[in-house]
Amino acid sequence: MKLIEEALEFEGRTMSNMTTSDRVAASREAKSLILSLNEIYKETKDPEIMEVMKLLTTKKRKIEKRLKGVPTV
């Protein structure tokens, strides 16, 4: 499946030295991939698709954590 390959390629990308706009774009791309994979997962219930979605969600959370910064107390 092309979508799974694209998701794995995204997951394998390095996220160092990214600008803020690059992070925003990466976060949006991850969200789009996750939602697309979820539509397929609803029909097939393939555990491999679920694992890919978990990897993407983890990477997306890291990107968003970096975007939002450290919360001040």
Side-chain angles (χ1 to χ4, degrees), residues 24-71:
V24 170
S27 177
R28 289 179 181 163
E29 183 181 355
K31 180 179 180 180
S32 172
L33 287 169
I34 292 167
L35 292 175
S36 299
L37 286 170
N38 191 37
E39 290 301 316
I40 296 169
Y41 179 76
K42 285 179 187 178
E43 297 170 7
T44 63
K45 303 293 186 201
D46 184 7
E48 180 185 350
I49 294 174
M50 180 56 80
E51 290 303 315
V52 172
M53 286 194 304
K54 287 178 184 178
L55 290 172
L56 288 177
T57 301
T58 303
K59 187 147 193 154
K60 182 177 178 290
R61 285 182 181 160
K62 287 180 183 178
I63 293 168
E64 289 179 349
K65 184 186 291 186
R66 177 71 178 167
L67 275 172
K68 293 178 183 175
V70 178

